[in-house]
Amino acid sequence: SVPTNAAAIVQSIHEMLEASLVRFSNELRLSTSSTSTASLMPVTMSPRAAAFVGTELQWNLLNSSVPAALVHSFGFPASAVGSVVGFGSLVTLGYLLVLPSLPRAFNQPRPLNLIITYAGMSVAWLLMLSALVAGHGWWLFVLGTYVFLAMAN
């Protein structure tokens, strides 16, 4: 069944994220298992790998939750959802094309660029959650989606 209210959507997002983490953890254990006792040791990830996994999980969450929220919470026709997300990708493409010519403030060196990116992704999720829970309107949800697309790309 597809959730129709904000609390149910947030709960289903939480369940999907938890299931993805369990699946990833199991796959990691299977890929590193061997007959040695080293396979009994806890698996550790580098910060770079953890950041990649975190971004991938957020992308999966965005790809599944944004269309569902637009259709079921904001009443968008299913045909319009692709256009909304596609336009966001077009805006992101424009941002990425002009990024090299923007002032240095927009293109910081590592690790500051990663901190800015993840902070922007957090703001995007907060915008989308605010639009769902507090009922601030579809425009805030779509803005959050566009911010996420710009930060994650």
Side-chain angles (χ1 to χ4, degrees):
S1 71
V2 178
T4 56
N5 65 15
I9 290 173
V10 170
Q11 179 62 31
S12 68
I13 289 170
H14 173 72
E15 290 169 1
M16 285 188 303
L17 189 57
E18 192 173 87
S20 295
L21 287 171
V22 167
R23 232 183 0 258
F24 174 74
S25 171
N26 290 337
E27 288 173 7
L28 194 57
R29 272 195 213 103
L30 288 175
S31 68
T32 59
S33 66
S34 66
T35 57
S36 71
T37 58
S39 65
L40 301 175
M41 302 299 274
V43 177
T44 59
M45 274 195 283
S46 72
R48 195 175 285 170
F52 174 76
V53 169
T55 304
E56 281 300 308
L57 288 173
Q58 288 186 55
W59 266 113
N60 292 341
L61 189 60
L62 181 90
N63 289 332
S64 60
S65 64
V66 165
L70 288 174
V71 169
H72 297 289
S73 294
F74 298 111
F76 275 54
S79 58
V81 171
S83 299
V84 168
V85 176
F87 181 73
S89 295
L90 185 63
V91 169
T92 300
L93 174 65
Y95 170 70
L96 291 174
L97 287 174
V98 300
L99 185 60
S101 62
L102 291 175
R104 184 161 173 80
F106 289 92
N107 200 6
Q108 295 290 323
R110 283 190 179 185
L112 189 56
N113 67 336
L114 296 174
I115 294 168
I116 292 169
T117 296
Y118 277 92
M121 289 165 66
S122 298
V123 166
W125 285 115
L126 289 173
L127 287 172
M128 289 185 275
L129 188 62
S130 167
L132 280 173
V133 175
H136 284 77
W138 63 267
W139 60 271
L140 188 62
F141 187 86
V142 171
L143 177 67
T145 303
Y146 290 175
V147 169
F148 181 88
L149 290 170
M151 291 295 118
N153 280 318

